[in-house]
Amino acid sequence: MPGYEGSTATELGINSANVATFIVFSKAFSILVGGITFIVVARLLGPSNYGIYTIAMSMAGFIGAFGSISIGQYLNKYIPEYKVKGEKERIKRILGASFGLTLISIIIVILFSSVFIRQIVSYFFHNSVNNIVIYATLVYLFFSTLYGLGSNILISFADGKNSAISQVINISFQALFSISLVLLGYGALGAIVGCLLGLLSGFVYQLIMLMKHSTIKLDGFLEEAKKMLSFSIPLTISSIFGSIVNNFSVLYLSFFFLPSVVGLYGIASKIGTYIDLVTGSISAILIPMFSAALASREISKKLGNLYNYSIYFGLLFAMPIVVYVSIFSNAMVVSVFTSTYKGSSIYMALIGIGILVGLLASYASSLAISSGHIREVFEYGILISLAELLSFLVLIPFFGVTGLIISIYYIGSIIANILYLHFVSKKLHLKIQINLSRLVASNIVLALLLLPIAIPNIRATYQLLLGLIVLFFIYPALLGLFKAISNKELELLRKIVIKLPIFGNWLNALIIYAEIFQR
């Protein structure tokens, strides 16, 4: 990528990416341990009970949306700025206001929701669960909100290491308690309780680590809260509406279909979250990176390059993962989850491709927030959510899970891309100056090489293993042969991954291997 070599922008990108490497590590750990937990729990519960679990998680997201204040984005924008300016007291007050507002909002929402327990059990779960499942879900929501705030705070302090450790603690305890409770016969309730205990453990660690960066002050709470809300309310309204729409889509699906069908979507969407290992890790550090860039006149001139850099590396890693998941989705279901979930394989492929479709808008929205264009983010969020809502209200009754996926992952993503790319071009005067044709060509050839492996007469487990071998050994070669990556970009990658715990040396070996094919 041109424009990075030896520049301050390069250092900013590398420093920000170093934060991301810890996040990548924690997500890689989540993939390993969380994935095993996911597989074991899904196999033990079966489609129907896993459908109950999926509905419960969507209900938590739906209810939690009303208590959301989008404080994390405020922290990601202003804490890095105040650190540079040395305003420690302001940071303490910001932290106090963030915790105060979060606790007030989520407690009010949970208390209000508890009044409607009977209606929730009847309409969403078809009277197939006890009230205790709903109460456990509300407790899960409480700790999930606090854990999310803690993660945002640590990332705002560029403490990727402890953010990663908190995630490792969270996932480890979730695995321990969820599997144990499900094995003891508590079903979906056991999985929910296991999740909330993991979140509680991770949040306790976050609080301990936060004290090493700053104390929390409630002095001037009202004044600081007012400033925080003035920034966050447009984002909050947009976020609330978006979260309501996304989570209601699953609840709406449960109106027309049994929990067993919802369970198939739950499996597919869970696989989709694992693709976030790459796209989510990059997105998590974009707001602090862009904010710091905008605070420096020298680096702000390179903002377009930083944006292109984010898109390029996001696609570089995400595309082969989506290709692999799409081609071997049926093998994954049969080998990992048993044939009872076989209907979810096509949904995995559709969701994976849909995530790629929305990638450009995802990164552009981070840039919009960092540059202070909150009104545009608010307006775009409402428009995108409305389009998704209208789409799935029509499509779900006729097409079920497929209609839901088309509405959220395709219609919403395409509209988001149109809006945000227009914003980046007209408001920020930035251009996407990367040639994706070579990258796309590399992944098309990769798909063609993988397809012969995904044939019925090869055992599913062998398909997955052979596919991984081709992915790791052929993809780097294709990038070199198609000139989709240069030595300069490989060197930049080396500077980033070499600091990644455990996986750094392995990834560096892949980079050395990829360099063989550079001409």
Side-chain angles (χ1 to χ4, degrees):
M1 294 286 290
Y4 295 100
E5 309 84 54
S7 67
T8 308
T10 304
E11 294 303 316
L12 175 61
I14 293 173
N15 290 337
S16 297
N18 285 337
V19 175
T21 57
F22 288 106
I23 299 173
V24 171
F25 168 70
S26 67
K27 292 198 174 188
F29 183 85
S30 299
I31 290 243
L32 179 61
V33 178
I36 292 173
T37 306
F38 163 48
I39 292 168
V40 172
V41 169
R43 290 174 70 100
L44 291 172
L45 291 179
S48 183
N49 278 318
Y50 192 80
I52 291 173
Y53 172 78
T54 301
I55 296 170
M57 293 296 103
S58 296
M59 187 196 74
F62 179 77
I63 294 172
F66 294 96
S68 172
I69 312 180
S70 297
I71 289 174
Q73 292 168 326
Y74 180 90
L75 298 174
N76 287 340
K77 176 173 174 57
Y78 286 107
I79 286 182
E81 290 185 14
Y82 292 134
K83 279 184 65 180
V84 173
K85 296 176 182 178
E87 298 185 24
K88 295 181 180 180
E89 291 300 314
R90 181 69 188 278
I91 291 176
K92 294 176 183 178
R93 292 197 298 271
I94 287 177
L95 294 175
S98 66
F99 274 103
L101 285 174
T102 299
L103 286 170
I104 291 171
S105 62
I106 198 62
I107 288 173
I108 290 174
V109 167
I110 288 175
L111 290 175
F112 180 78
S113 301
S114 63
V115 177
F116 299 97
I117 294 294
R118 183 175 298 176
Q119 289 78 4
I120 291 172
V121 170
S122 174
Y123 291 114
F124 295 151
F125 294 92
H126 304 286
N127 294 310
S128 59
V129 299
N130 295 322
N131 290 357
I132 191 172
V133 171
I134 311 304
Y135 287 117
T137 302
L138 293 177
V139 177
Y140 162 85
L141 170 61
F142 178 79
F143 289 117
S144 176
T145 303
L146 292 179
Y147 179 84
L149 176 62
S151 294
N152 276 307
I153 291 174
L154 289 177
I155 291 172
S156 298
F157 281 105
D159 192 352
K161 178 180 178 180
N162 283 313
S163 177
I165 292 174
S166 71
Q167 177 69 352
V168 168
I169 292 172
N170 170 28
I171 293 299
S172 298
F173 278 93
Q174 282 194 23
L176 174 64
F177 289 113
S178 294
I179 294 175
S180 299
L181 291 172
V182 172
L183 283 172
L184 289 172
Y186 289 97
L189 174 63
I192 295 168
V193 172
C195 288
L196 72 87
L197 290 176
L199 290 167
L200 171 61
S201 304
F203 177 65
V204 169
Y205 178 83
Q206 289 172 343
L207 281 180
I208 295 171
M209 292 303 105
L210 171 59
M211 294 300 103
K212 294 184 177 181
H213 292 286
S214 175
T215 56
I216 299 173
K217 281 190 175 182
L218 293 175
D219 297 346
F221 171 80
L222 293 178
E223 179 184 356
E224 201 61 56
K226 183 178 179 180
K227 293 177 182 178
M228 190 173 290
L229 289 173
S230 66
F231 174 91
S232 301
I233 282 178
L235 289 174
T236 298
I237 296 174
S238 175
S239 175
I240 286 176
F241 196 71
S243 184
I244 288 173
V245 169
N246 284 323
N247 287 288
F248 179 66
S249 65
V250 177
L251 300 179
Y252 186 63
L253 180 68
S254 71
F255 287 156
F256 298 94
F257 299 92
L258 294 174
S260 57
V261 176
V262 181
L264 296 180
Y265 172 73
I267 290 289
S269 62
K270 188 73 172 182
I271 293 295
T273 63
Y274 288 155
I275 299 174
D276 183 56
L277 169 68
V278 175
T279 59
S281 299
I282 293 175
S283 182
I285 52 91
L286 287 185
I287 294 179
M289 184 179 79
F290 289 147
S291 294
L294 289 164
S296 168
R297 291 183 179 180
E298 176 190 352
I299 306 176
S300 64
K301 297 176 183 178
K302 300 288 186 178
L303 188 60
N305 288 335
L306 290 172
Y307 177 56
N308 286 303
Y309 160 88
S310 303
I311 295 172
Y312 172 77
F313 282 110
L315 289 172
L316 179 72
F317 291 106
M319 288 181 73
I321 296 174
V322 171
V323 168
Y324 179 87
V325 170
S326 299
I327 291 177
F328 296 109
S329 58
N330 189 61
M332 291 177 66
V333 171
V334 173
S335 177
V336 177
F337 301 105
T338 75
S339 58
T340 57
Y341 288 99
K342 196 170 183 178
S344 65
S345 59
I346 184 64
Y347 305 145
M348 290 182 188
L350 290 173
I351 288 174
I353 297 169
I355 289 173
L356 287 184
V357 172
L359 192 66
L360 297 182
S362 175
Y363 293 169
S365 66
S366 297
L367 181 56
I369 293 170
S370 302
S371 58
H373 289 79
I374 307 304
R375 179 178 177 181
E376 285 84 354
V377 175
F378 164 70
E379 293 174 349
Y380 296 166
I382 295 296
L383 289 174
I384 294 165
S385 297
L386 278 174
E388 293 173 348
L389 175 63
L390 293 175
S391 298
F392 74 65
L393 285 176
V394 174
L395 295 179
I396 285 179
F398 296 100
F399 301 103
V401 175
T402 303
L404 189 159
I405 293 172
I406 291 172
S407 302
I408 301 297
Y409 290 93
Y410 289 87
I411 293 176
S413 294
I414 290 171
I415 292 175
N417 283 338
I418 293 172
L419 292 172
Y420 276 110
L421 292 181
H422 179 269
F423 162 82
V424 168
S425 174
K426 300 300 181 182
K427 294 292 181 70
L428 298 181
H429 307 292
L430 302 178
K431 295 181 180 179
I432 298 179
Q433 296 176 323
I434 50 176
N435 186 356
L436 297 179
S437 60
R438 298 178 185 275
L439 190 58
V440 171
S442 300
N443 281 274
I444 290 175
V445 174
L446 175 65
L448 293 175
L449 294 173
L450 291 174
L451 277 173
I453 302 174
I455 55 178
N457 60 344
I458 298 179
R459 189 174 177 179
T461 304
Y462 296 154
Q463 289 183 33
L464 297 177
L465 293 176
L466 288 172
L468 280 176
I469 292 172
V470 172
L471 179 65
F472 279 108
F473 286 97
I474 301 299
Y475 184 59
L478 291 173
L479 292 176
L481 294 174
F482 281 92
K483 297 181 180 179
I485 192 169
S486 69
N487 281 319
K488 291 179 180 179
E489 290 151 9
L490 288 171
E491 182 60 30
L492 180 59
L493 271 179
R494 179 180 285 107
K495 293 178 180 179
I496 294 171
V497 304
I498 198 65
K499 296 184 179 182
L500 183 63
I502 299 177
F503 300 101
N505 291 331
W506 291 96
L507 292 175
N508 188 49
L510 280 177
I511 292 172
I512 294 173
Y513 173 68
E515 288 175 336
I516 298 173
F517 302 93
Q518 298 302 310
R519 290 186 285 178

